[in-house]
Amino acid sequence: MILLGPPGAGKGTQAEYLVDMYGLVQLSTGEMLRAEVKSGSELGKKAKELMDAGSLVPDDLIIDMISGQIDQHKEAKGVILDGFPRTTAQAEALDEMLGDKGLNIDHVIQMEVDEDAVVERISGRFSCSDCGAGYHDSLNKTEIDGVCDKCGSTEFTRRADDNAETVRSRLKAYREQTAPILPYYEKRGSLDTINGIGSMEEVFDRIKEIVEGG
Ligand code: ADP
Ligand code: ADP
Ligand code: ZN
């Protein structure tokens, strides 16, 4: 299953719900890249500058990375791709690799959220350093101030690229490089578009309807 939508649309948040409810595995290329940056690997060094500028990382690096991850989760009931594919070349490469691996795409869900909402969501985003659970300063607070609801950790992180300036570049990259893949899935009849505005539970209900509808 693929979750598509601009930065800050709520893909990671909805992926968390899907993991909890259906036992799927979430594969986030953004998370993988941030782990590479943190580890100081060659890939991380190449990716860091591009990520900080709000630009996309080259397709070949991303495709190798995700292919390896899909192989590692062969036993999973299903996989949620969050933040991938992001270019037409990635979408084509995904089809090819799934064909080779004997796998297929059940759902492509596009979350529509206007740019003002996206900027508001990104501006207050933070996450648990230990379990990765996502939060927001005003829209999605922890139940107890400073304590993760899921794991009880008191360590949180904010992303280096979640600033007003980089967000503009990321939105531009989305409009110019990622939005063009929507017709690719639409033509095949595998695209569902949902309204990403509303509470997290409301948005999840819309996704559940699609997943449970077949
Ligand atoms: P993405 O993975 O698409 O970049 P996230 O899931 O990280 O987006 O969500 C961005 C921010 O918005 C997070 O701080 C999250 O807590 C918050 N958020 C997600 N969904 C909603 C929603 N439906 N309403 C309000 N805030 C939301
Ligand atoms: P968002 O919250 O903006 O949806 P992600 O966590 O998915 O962010 O991605 C953060 C950054 O990592 C992107 O701005 C980009 O530089 C890089 N990135 C993540 N996924 C991809 C991808 N599939 N192709 C190219 N670059 C990617
Ligand atoms: Zn946690």
Side-chain angles (χ1 to χ4, degrees):
M1 169 168 168
I2 298 174
L3 290 182
L4 287 174
K11 302 179 295 295
T13 303
Q14 295 301 324
E16 260 185 65
Y17 283 129
L18 287 161
V19 167
D20 290 347
M21 173 151 282
Y22 299 108
L24 305 174
V25 169
Q26 174 191 7
L27 296 183
S28 156
T29 44
E31 288 300 328
M32 291 172 203
L33 290 169
R34 283 186 285 282
E36 294 286 343
V37 170
K38 208 170 165 191
S39 78
S41 69
E42 280 310 307
L43 169 56
K45 282 179 200 150
K46 277 187 209 154
K48 186 178 185 323
E49 231 171 282
L50 293 162
M51 292 169 79
D52 286 345
S55 307
L56 297 184
V57 172
D59 289 329
D60 51 342
L61 300 181
I62 297 286
I63 290 162
D64 286 347
M65 193 174 76
I66 197 87
S67 175
Q69 284 289 320
I70 292 174
D71 288 340
Q72 281 185 32
H73 292 93
K74 273 207 186 95
E75 309 302 319
K77 213 162 97 183
V79 160
I80 307 158
L81 299 176
D82 160 14
F84 175 88
R86 246 180 166 96
T87 62
T88 306
Q90 291 180 19
E92 288 167 355
L94 176 64
D95 278 338
E96 203 182 308
M97 81 174 80
L98 291 180
D100 290 345
K101 299 181 203 296
L103 300 168
N104 54 281
I105 301 168
D106 293 320
H107 298 286
V108 182
I109 300 178
Q110 178 200 10
M111 301 175 62
E112 267 185 340
V113 177
D114 60 86
E115 295 203 357
D116 288 345
V118 151
V119 170
E120 185 192 16
R121 286 183 185 183
I122 286 181
S123 314
R125 166 160 64 186
F126 66 96
S127 64
C128 173
S129 306
D130 290 335
C131 76
Y135 297 100
H136 188 280
D137 291 327
S138 56
L139 303 169
N140 179 20
K141 297 198 271 196
T142 54
E143 268 167 46
I144 303 167
D145 214 24
V147 181
C148 176
D149 296 349
K150 282 208 163 170
C151 76
S153 168
T154 53
E155 301 281 324
F156 296 92
T157 49
R158 282 178 201 267
R159 285 168 47 175
D161 59 346
D162 277 353
N163 59 75
E165 202 181 318
T166 310
V167 168
R168 272 190 280 277
S169 311
R170 285 158 61 199
L171 284 169
K172 186 161 177 278
Y174 182 77
R175 281 195 299 269
E176 293 178 0
Q177 293 169 274
T178 306
I181 71 180
L182 295 167
Y184 181 82
Y185 290 116
E186 201 167 20
K187 266 187 236 143
R188 284 200 241 163
S190 46
L191 183 70
D192 280 298
T193 299
I194 61 156
N195 180 5
I197 297 290
S199 72
M200 298 180 291
E201 292 76 15
E202 280 165 350
V203 175
F204 187 52
D205 282 341
R206 295 173 195 144
I207 293 179
K208 257 195 317 204
E209 215 169 285
I210 294 166
V211 173
E212 293 178 6

PDB file of all heavy atoms in Angstrom, residues 173-203:
ATOM      1  N   ALA A 173       9.133  20.740  -4.527  1.00  0.00           N
ATOM      2  CA  ALA A 173       9.561  19.425  -5.016  1.00  0.00           C
ATOM      3  C   ALA A 173       8.336  18.511  -5.156  1.00  0.00           C
ATOM      4  O   ALA A 173       8.220  17.742  -6.110  1.00  0.00           O
ATOM      5  CB  ALA A 173      10.590  18.808  -4.068  1.00  0.00           C
ATOM      6  N   TYR A 174       7.409  18.605  -4.207  1.00  0.00           N
ATOM      7  CA  TYR A 174       6.199  17.774  -4.282  1.00  0.00           C
ATOM      8  C   TYR A 174       5.389  18.120  -5.534  1.00  0.00           C
ATOM      9  O   TYR A 174       5.005  17.238  -6.300  1.00  0.00           O
ATOM     10  CB  TYR A 174       5.330  17.936  -3.026  1.00  0.00           C
ATOM     11  CG  TYR A 174       4.113  17.028  -3.096  1.00  0.00           C
ATOM     12  CD1 TYR A 174       4.233  15.664  -2.837  1.00  0.00           C
ATOM     13  CD2 TYR A 174       2.872  17.521  -3.477  1.00  0.00           C
ATOM     14  CE1 TYR A 174       3.140  14.817  -2.956  1.00  0.00           C
ATOM     15  CE2 TYR A 174       1.779  16.682  -3.592  1.00  0.00           C
ATOM     16  CZ  TYR A 174       1.919  15.329  -3.330  1.00  0.00           C
ATOM     17  OH  TYR A 174       0.841  14.490  -3.456  1.00  0.00           O
ATOM     18  N   ARG A 175       5.139  19.417  -5.724  1.00  0.00           N
ATOM     19  CA  ARG A 175       4.333  19.853  -6.883  1.00  0.00           C
ATOM     20  C   ARG A 175       4.994  19.452  -8.197  1.00  0.00           C
ATOM     21  O   ARG A 175       4.336  18.970  -9.107  1.00  0.00           O
ATOM     22  CB  ARG A 175       4.165  21.377  -6.882  1.00  0.00           C
ATOM     23  CG  ARG A 175       3.107  21.898  -5.929  1.00  0.00           C
ATOM     24  CD  ARG A 175       2.762  23.348  -6.252  1.00  0.00           C
ATOM     25  NE  ARG A 175       3.921  24.240  -6.134  1.00  0.00           N
ATOM     26  CZ  ARG A 175       4.261  24.897  -5.033  1.00  0.00           C
ATOM     27  NH1 ARG A 175       3.541  24.780  -3.945  1.00  0.00           N
ATOM     28  NH2 ARG A 175       5.322  25.674  -5.004  1.00  0.00           N
ATOM     29  N   GLU A 176       6.298  19.662  -8.280  1.00  0.00           N
ATOM     30  CA  GLU A 176       6.976  19.480  -9.571  1.00  0.00           C
ATOM     31  C   GLU A 176       7.397  18.044  -9.846  1.00  0.00           C
ATOM     32  O   GLU A 176       7.384  17.599 -10.981  1.00  0.00           O
ATOM     33  CB  GLU A 176       8.198  20.406  -9.650  1.00  0.00           C
ATOM     34  CG  GLU A 176       7.763  21.859  -9.702  1.00  0.00           C
ATOM     35  CD  GLU A 176       8.921  22.846  -9.725  1.00  0.00           C
ATOM     36  OE1 GLU A 176      10.096  22.408  -9.698  1.00  0.00           O
ATOM     37  OE2 GLU A 176       8.630  24.062  -9.759  1.00  0.00           O
ATOM     38  N   GLN A 177       7.821  17.313  -8.815  1.00  0.00           N
ATOM     39  CA  GLN A 177       8.378  15.974  -9.064  1.00  0.00           C
ATOM     40  C   GLN A 177       7.474  14.825  -8.610  1.00  0.00           C
ATOM     41  O   GLN A 177       7.510  13.750  -9.190  1.00  0.00           O
ATOM     42  CB  GLN A 177       9.753  15.856  -8.391  1.00  0.00           C
ATOM     43  CG  GLN A 177      10.782  16.777  -9.045  1.00  0.00           C
ATOM     44  CD  GLN A 177      12.046  16.850  -8.207  1.00  0.00           C
ATOM     45  OE1 GLN A 177      12.150  17.652  -7.280  1.00  0.00           O
ATOM     46  NE2 GLN A 177      12.988  15.984  -8.512  1.00  0.00           N
ATOM     47  N   THR A 178       6.678  15.058  -7.560  1.00  0.00           N
ATOM     48  CA  THR A 178       5.875  13.947  -7.034  1.00  0.00           C
ATOM     49  C   THR A 178       4.440  13.952  -7.578  1.00  0.00           C
ATOM     50  O   THR A 178       3.939  12.905  -7.999  1.00  0.00           O
ATOM     51  CB  THR A 178       5.872  13.953  -5.492  1.00  0.00           C
ATOM     52  OG1 THR A 178       7.223  13.970  -5.042  1.00  0.00           O
ATOM     53  CG2 THR A 178       5.167  12.729  -4.940  1.00  0.00           C
ATOM     54  N   ALA A 179       3.801  15.119  -7.604  1.00  0.00           N
ATOM     55  CA  ALA A 179       2.404  15.160  -8.101  1.00  0.00           C
ATOM     56  C   ALA A 179       2.265  14.537  -9.493  1.00  0.00           C
ATOM     57  O   ALA A 179       1.235  13.891  -9.769  1.00  0.00           O
ATOM     58  CB  ALA A 179       1.872  16.595  -8.061  1.00  0.00           C
ATOM     59  N   PRO A 180       3.256  14.664 -10.382  1.00  0.00           N
ATOM     60  CA  PRO A 180       3.113  14.027 -11.708  1.00  0.00           C
ATOM     61  C   PRO A 180       2.956  12.504 -11.680  1.00  0.00           C
ATOM     62  O   PRO A 180       2.577  11.919 -12.689  1.00  0.00           O
ATOM     63  CB  PRO A 180       4.413  14.418 -12.439  1.00  0.00           C
ATOM     64  CG  PRO A 180       4.852  15.682 -11.771  1.00  0.00           C
ATOM     65  CD  PRO A 180       4.443  15.532 -10.330  1.00  0.00           C
ATOM     66  N   ILE A 181       3.225  11.848 -10.562  1.00  0.00           N
ATOM     67  CA  ILE A 181       3.018  10.386 -10.559  1.00  0.00           C
ATOM     68  C   ILE A 181       1.554  10.026 -10.291  1.00  0.00           C
ATOM     69  O   ILE A 181       1.161   8.882 -10.470  1.00  0.00           O
ATOM     70  CB  ILE A 181       3.948   9.616  -9.575  1.00  0.00           C
ATOM     71  CG1 ILE A 181       3.581   9.867  -8.121  1.00  0.00           C
ATOM     72  CG2 ILE A 181       5.390   9.945  -9.851  1.00  0.00           C
ATOM     73  CD1 ILE A 181       4.487   9.121  -7.148  1.00  0.00           C
ATOM     74  N   LEU A 182       0.742  11.000  -9.878  1.00  0.00           N
ATOM     75  CA  LEU A 182      -0.659  10.679  -9.587  1.00  0.00           C
ATOM     76  C   LEU A 182      -1.383  10.125 -10.823  1.00  0.00           C
ATOM     77  O   LEU A 182      -2.064   9.094 -10.720  1.00  0.00           O
ATOM     78  CB  LEU A 182      -1.384  11.898  -8.993  1.00  0.00           C
ATOM     79  CG  LEU A 182      -0.838  12.324  -7.623  1.00  0.00           C
ATOM     80  CD1 LEU A 182      -1.361  13.704  -7.233  1.00  0.00           C
ATOM     81  CD2 LEU A 182      -1.216  11.299  -6.554  1.00  0.00           C
ATOM     82  N   PRO A 183      -1.251  10.769 -11.991  1.00  0.00           N
ATOM     83  CA  PRO A 183      -1.919  10.208 -13.181  1.00  0.00           C
ATOM     84  C   PRO A 183      -1.441   8.795 -13.531  1.00  0.00           C
ATOM     85  O   PRO A 183      -2.200   8.006 -14.100  1.00  0.00           O
ATOM     86  CB  PRO A 183      -1.551  11.190 -14.307  1.00  0.00           C
ATOM     87  CG  PRO A 183      -1.026  12.407 -13.640  1.00  0.00           C
ATOM     88  CD  PRO A 183      -0.561  12.023 -12.276  1.00  0.00           C
ATOM     89  N   TYR A 184      -0.197   8.478 -13.164  1.00  0.00           N
ATOM     90  CA  TYR A 184       0.377   7.156 -13.426  1.00  0.00           C
ATOM     91  C   TYR A 184      -0.477   6.075 -12.746  1.00  0.00           C
ATOM     92  O   TYR A 184      -0.793   5.037 -13.328  1.00  0.00           O
ATOM     93  CB  TYR A 184       1.810   7.154 -12.892  1.00  0.00           C
ATOM     94  CG  TYR A 184       2.613   5.890 -13.079  1.00  0.00           C
ATOM     95  CD1 TYR A 184       3.254   5.629 -14.280  1.00  0.00           C
ATOM     96  CD2 TYR A 184       2.753   4.981 -12.032  1.00  0.00           C
ATOM     97  CE1 TYR A 184       4.013   4.479 -14.441  1.00  0.00           C
ATOM     98  CE2 TYR A 184       3.508   3.830 -12.186  1.00  0.00           C
ATOM     99  CZ  TYR A 184       4.140   3.582 -13.382  1.00  0.00           C
ATOM    100  OH  TYR A 184       4.890   2.456 -13.536  1.00  0.00           O
ATOM    101  N   TYR A 185      -0.876   6.343 -11.503  1.00  0.00           N
ATOM    102  CA  TYR A 185      -1.706   5.377 -10.774  1.00  0.00           C
ATOM    103  C   TYR A 185      -3.184   5.517 -11.121  1.00  0.00           C
ATOM    104  O   TYR A 185      -3.929   4.548 -11.101  1.00  0.00           O
ATOM    105  CB  TYR A 185      -1.474   5.528  -9.266  1.00  0.00           C
ATOM    106  CG  TYR A 185      -0.093   5.060  -8.857  1.00  0.00           C
ATOM    107  CD1 TYR A 185       0.838   5.943  -8.318  1.00  0.00           C
ATOM    108  CD2 TYR A 185       0.286   3.726  -9.030  1.00  0.00           C
ATOM    109  CE1 TYR A 185       2.118   5.504  -7.969  1.00  0.00           C
ATOM    110  CE2 TYR A 185       1.558   3.293  -8.681  1.00  0.00           C
ATOM    111  CZ  TYR A 185       2.468   4.190  -8.146  1.00  0.00           C
ATOM    112  OH  TYR A 185       3.722   3.761  -7.808  1.00  0.00           O
ATOM    113  N   GLU A 186      -3.581   6.745 -11.421  1.00  0.00           N
ATOM    114  CA  GLU A 186      -4.981   7.009 -11.750  1.00  0.00           C
ATOM    115  C   GLU A 186      -5.384   6.223 -13.004  1.00  0.00           C
ATOM    116  O   GLU A 186      -6.456   5.615 -13.044  1.00  0.00           O
ATOM    117  CB  GLU A 186      -5.166   8.510 -11.976  1.00  0.00           C
ATOM    118  CG  GLU A 186      -6.594   8.957 -11.829  1.00  0.00           C
ATOM    119  CD  GLU A 186      -6.696  10.474 -11.734  1.00  0.00           C
ATOM    120  OE1 GLU A 186      -5.752  11.193 -12.153  1.00  0.00           O
ATOM    121  OE2 GLU A 186      -7.742  10.939 -11.243  1.00  0.00           O
ATOM    122  N   LYS A 187      -4.508   6.231 -14.005  1.00  0.00           N
ATOM    123  CA  LYS A 187      -4.789   5.546 -15.266  1.00  0.00           C
ATOM    124  C   LYS A 187      -5.060   4.065 -15.051  1.00  0.00           C
ATOM    125  O   LYS A 187      -5.798   3.432 -15.782  1.00  0.00           O
ATOM    126  CB  LYS A 187      -3.601   5.716 -16.224  1.00  0.00           C
ATOM    127  CG  LYS A 187      -3.761   6.903 -17.171  1.00  0.00           C
ATOM    128  CD  LYS A 187      -2.644   6.917 -18.201  1.00  0.00           C
ATOM    129  CE  LYS A 187      -1.916   8.248 -18.164  1.00  0.00           C
ATOM    130  NZ  LYS A 187      -0.492   8.189 -18.372  1.00  0.00           N
ATOM    131  N   ARG A 188      -4.400   3.504 -14.038  1.00  0.00           N
ATOM    132  CA  ARG A 188      -4.581   2.078 -13.764  1.00  0.00           C
ATOM    133  C   ARG A 188      -5.776   1.801 -12.882  1.00  0.00           C
ATOM    134  O   ARG A 188      -6.057   0.654 -12.536  1.00  0.00           O
ATOM    135  CB  ARG A 188      -3.363   1.578 -12.996  1.00  0.00           C
ATOM    136  CG  ARG A 188      -2.187   1.400 -13.851  1.00  0.00           C
ATOM    137  CD  ARG A 188      -1.297   0.478 -13.083  1.00  0.00           C
ATOM    138  NE  ARG A 188      -0.060   1.139 -12.797  1.00  0.00           N
ATOM    139  CZ  ARG A 188       0.797   0.730 -11.866  1.00  0.00           C
ATOM    140  NH1 ARG A 188       0.504  -0.278 -11.101  1.00  0.00           N
ATOM    141  NH2 ARG A 188       1.923   1.348 -11.701  1.00  0.00           N
ATOM    142  N   GLY A 189      -6.394   2.889 -12.405  1.00  0.00           N
ATOM    143  CA  GLY A 189      -7.548   2.725 -11.529  1.00  0.00           C
ATOM    144  C   GLY A 189      -7.187   2.310 -10.122  1.00  0.00           C
ATOM    145  O   GLY A 189      -8.025   1.825  -9.374  1.00  0.00           O
ATOM    146  N   SER A 190      -5.911   2.493  -9.741  1.00  0.00           N
ATOM    147  CA  SER A 190      -5.551   2.065  -8.377  1.00  0.00           C
ATOM    148  C   SER A 190      -5.436   3.221  -7.396  1.00  0.00           C
ATOM    149  O   SER A 190      -5.048   3.036  -6.252  1.00  0.00           O
ATOM    150  CB  SER A 190      -4.272   1.220  -8.383  1.00  0.00           C
ATOM    151  OG  SER A 190      -3.288   1.810  -9.187  1.00  0.00           O
ATOM    152  N   LEU A 191      -5.803   4.428  -7.840  1.00  0.00           N
ATOM    153  CA  LEU A 191      -5.651   5.599  -6.965  1.00  0.00           C
ATOM    154  C   LEU A 191      -6.950   5.963  -6.255  1.00  0.00           C
ATOM    155  O   LEU A 191      -7.992   6.090  -6.879  1.00  0.00           O
ATOM    156  CB  LEU A 191      -5.178   6.804  -7.796  1.00  0.00           C
ATOM    157  CG  LEU A 191      -4.893   8.091  -7.022  1.00  0.00           C
ATOM    158  CD1 LEU A 191      -3.643   7.945  -6.156  1.00  0.00           C
ATOM    159  CD2 LEU A 191      -4.740   9.278  -7.949  1.00  0.00           C
ATOM    160  N   ASP A 192      -6.875   6.121  -4.917  1.00  0.00           N
ATOM    161  CA  ASP A 192      -7.984   6.671  -4.148  1.00  0.00           C
ATOM    162  C   ASP A 192      -7.522   7.971  -3.526  1.00  0.00           C
ATOM    163  O   ASP A 192      -6.435   8.027  -2.943  1.00  0.00           O
ATOM    164  CB  ASP A 192      -8.388   5.708  -3.020  1.00  0.00           C
ATOM    165  CG  ASP A 192      -9.251   4.576  -3.527  1.00  0.00           C
ATOM    166  OD1 ASP A 192     -10.341   4.869  -4.036  1.00  0.00           O
ATOM    167  OD2 ASP A 192      -8.820   3.409  -3.426  1.00  0.00           O
ATOM    168  N   THR A 193      -8.342   9.000  -3.648  1.00  0.00           N
ATOM    169  CA  THR A 193      -7.980  10.292  -3.069  1.00  0.00           C
ATOM    170  C   THR A 193      -8.880  10.577  -1.885  1.00  0.00           C
ATOM    171  O   THR A 193     -10.102  10.442  -1.991  1.00  0.00           O
ATOM    172  CB  THR A 193      -8.124  11.398  -4.134  1.00  0.00           C
ATOM    173  OG1 THR A 193      -7.224  11.091  -5.198  1.00  0.00           O
ATOM    174  CG2 THR A 193      -7.772  12.765  -3.568  1.00  0.00           C
ATOM    175  N   ILE A 194      -8.282  10.930  -0.757  1.00  0.00           N
ATOM    176  CA  ILE A 194      -9.099  11.272   0.417  1.00  0.00           C
ATOM    177  C   ILE A 194      -8.757  12.682   0.891  1.00  0.00           C
ATOM    178  O   ILE A 194      -7.660  13.186   0.648  1.00  0.00           O
ATOM    179  CB  ILE A 194      -8.902  10.285   1.592  1.00  0.00           C
ATOM    180  CG1 ILE A 194      -7.439  10.302   2.069  1.00  0.00           C
ATOM    181  CG2 ILE A 194      -9.340   8.875   1.227  1.00  0.00           C
ATOM    182  CD1 ILE A 194      -7.287   9.861   3.500  1.00  0.00           C
ATOM    183  N   ASN A 195      -9.713  13.274   1.602  1.00  0.00           N
ATOM    184  CA  ASN A 195      -9.495  14.563   2.229  1.00  0.00           C
ATOM    185  C   ASN A 195      -8.647  14.326   3.488  1.00  0.00           C
ATOM    186  O   ASN A 195      -9.039  13.565   4.360  1.00  0.00           O
ATOM    187  CB  ASN A 195     -10.876  15.144   2.579  1.00  0.00           C
ATOM    188  CG  ASN A 195     -10.787  16.489   3.251  1.00  0.00           C
ATOM    189  OD1 ASN A 195      -9.699  17.057   3.389  1.00  0.00           O
ATOM    190  ND2 ASN A 195     -11.933  16.994   3.663  1.00  0.00           N
ATOM    191  N   GLY A 196      -7.501  14.988   3.558  1.00  0.00           N
ATOM    192  CA  GLY A 196      -6.603  14.807   4.698  1.00  0.00           C
ATOM    193  C   GLY A 196      -6.847  15.804   5.811  1.00  0.00           C
ATOM    194  O   GLY A 196      -6.139  15.823   6.814  1.00  0.00           O
ATOM    195  N   ILE A 197      -7.887  16.649   5.632  1.00  0.00           N
ATOM    196  CA  ILE A 197      -8.241  17.632   6.655  1.00  0.00           C
ATOM    197  C   ILE A 197      -9.293  17.015   7.572  1.00  0.00           C
ATOM    198  O   ILE A 197     -10.199  16.324   7.093  1.00  0.00           O
ATOM    199  CB  ILE A 197      -8.793  18.929   5.999  1.00  0.00           C
ATOM    200  CG1 ILE A 197      -7.713  19.593   5.129  1.00  0.00           C
ATOM    201  CG2 ILE A 197      -9.333  19.896   7.039  1.00  0.00           C
ATOM    202  CD1 ILE A 197      -6.558  20.219   5.896  1.00  0.00           C
ATOM    203  N   GLY A 198      -9.155  17.283   8.853  1.00  0.00           N
ATOM    204  CA  GLY A 198     -10.055  16.689   9.846  1.00  0.00           C
ATOM    205  C   GLY A 198      -9.185  16.091  10.935  1.00  0.00           C
ATOM    206  O   GLY A 198      -7.950  16.144  10.844  1.00  0.00           O
ATOM    207  N   SER A 199      -9.831  15.516  11.946  1.00  0.00           N
ATOM    208  CA  SER A 199      -9.030  14.935  13.021  1.00  0.00           C
ATOM    209  C   SER A 199      -8.306  13.699  12.493  1.00  0.00           C
ATOM    210  O   SER A 199      -8.674  13.139  11.459  1.00  0.00           O
ATOM    211  CB  SER A 199      -9.927  14.547  14.191  1.00  0.00           C
ATOM    212  OG  SER A 199     -10.692  13.412  13.837  1.00  0.00           O
ATOM    213  N   MET A 200      -7.300  13.261  13.197  1.00  0.00           N
ATOM    214  CA  MET A 200      -6.530  12.083  12.785  1.00  0.00           C
ATOM    215  C   MET A 200      -7.434  10.856  12.701  1.00  0.00           C
ATOM    216  O   MET A 200      -7.273  10.014  11.826  1.00  0.00           O
ATOM    217  CB  MET A 200      -5.370  11.871  13.748  1.00  0.00           C
ATOM    218  CG  MET A 200      -4.414  13.071  13.711  1.00  0.00           C
ATOM    219  SD  MET A 200      -3.035  12.897  14.816  1.00  0.00           S
ATOM    220  CE  MET A 200      -3.885  13.042  16.345  1.00  0.00           C
ATOM    221  N   GLU A 201      -8.409  10.783  13.617  1.00  0.00           N
ATOM    222  CA  GLU A 201      -9.340   9.641  13.613  1.00  0.00           C
ATOM    223  C   GLU A 201     -10.261   9.705  12.400  1.00  0.00           C
ATOM    224  O   GLU A 201     -10.553   8.678  11.784  1.00  0.00           O
ATOM    225  CB  GLU A 201     -10.174   9.623  14.900  1.00  0.00           C
ATOM    226  CG  GLU A 201      -9.382   9.317  16.172  1.00  0.00           C
ATOM    227  CD  GLU A 201      -8.550  10.496  16.682  1.00  0.00           C
ATOM    228  OE1 GLU A 201      -8.798  11.640  16.224  1.00  0.00           O
ATOM    229  OE2 GLU A 201      -7.648  10.286  17.513  1.00  0.00           O
ATOM    230  N   GLU A 202     -10.722  10.919  12.085  1.00  0.00           N
ATOM    231  CA  GLU A 202     -11.600  11.071  10.906  1.00  0.00           C
ATOM    232  C   GLU A 202     -10.862  10.652   9.635  1.00  0.00           C
ATOM    233  O   GLU A 202     -11.416   9.968   8.768  1.00  0.00           O
ATOM    234  CB  GLU A 202     -12.077  12.530  10.771  1.00  0.00           C
ATOM    235  CG  GLU A 202     -13.227  12.877  11.694  1.00  0.00           C
ATOM    236  CD  GLU A 202     -13.443  14.390  11.829  1.00  0.00           C
ATOM    237  OE1 GLU A 202     -12.607  15.201  11.379  1.00  0.00           O
ATOM    238  OE2 GLU A 202     -14.476  14.753  12.414  1.00  0.00           O
ATOM    239  N   VAL A 203      -9.610  11.090   9.535  1.00  0.00           N
ATOM    240  CA  VAL A 203      -8.834  10.744   8.336  1.00  0.00           C
ATOM    241  C   VAL A 203      -8.623   9.227   8.293  1.00  0.00           C
ATOM    242  O   VAL A 203      -8.755   8.603   7.239  1.00  0.00           O
ATOM    243  CB  VAL A 203      -7.495  11.513   8.317  1.00  0.00           C
ATOM    244  CG1 VAL A 203      -6.631  11.065   7.146  1.00  0.00           C
ATOM    245  CG2 VAL A 203      -7.729  13.024   8.258  1.00  0.00           C
TER     246      VAL A 203
END
